[in-house]
Amino acid sequence: MIIYNKLVRDRIPEIIQESGEECLVEVLTEHDYLKELQKKGEEELKEYLAASNSKEAIEELADLIEVIYGLAQCHGFSIKELETVRQSKKDKKGAFDKRLFLVEVHKKD
């Protein structure tokens, strides 16, 4: 028996059962679900940072996006609303396409 105690994607129990194994799952409360999504976000970010190649990186980025979608929904926002906010911020402040690194700012006299 292996104990995981972590949030998993919706089809994982089904996939485990199809492999001939059994598993025990619980449905989390909204409060616990939010906490576990936050932990999952940290886990997926660490896995992305540890990725040794672009194929691994894209897999972890996809996992991060799925967690972000779940977090947005926990806060009462749809994926469309999240995208609208992202686009608005991009329109106002830009993206990260130019690879700019702010070193310092000097106050005007």
Side-chain angles (χ1 to χ4, degrees), residues 24-75:
L24 174 64
V25 296
E26 297 176 355
V27 177
L28 298 172
T29 64
E30 286 293 322
H31 178 268
D32 288 341
Y33 176 54
L34 176 59
K35 285 182 3 185
E36 291 301 321
L37 269 174
Q38 291 168 340
K39 287 181 1 186
K40 188 61 133 179
E42 287 181 311
E43 174 189 329
E44 298 301 345
L45 179 58
K46 287 177 185 174
E47 289 176 2
Y48 163 72
L49 293 172
S52 60
N53 59 56
S54 293
K55 184 181 182 316
E56 288 178 10
I58 196 70
E59 290 286 329
E60 299 309 331
L61 288 171
D63 289 343
L64 270 169
I65 289 171
E66 200 62 46
V67 170
I68 290 168
Y69 287 169
L71 287 166
Q73 291 172 332
C74 276
H75 290 288

Side-chain angles (χ1 to χ4, degrees), residues 68-69 72-85:
I68 290 168
Y69 287 169
Q73 291 172 332
C74 276
H75 290 288
F77 299 100
S78 68
I79 294 167
K80 183 177 178 182
E81 289 169 309
L82 174 64
E83 179 58 23
T84 298
V85 172

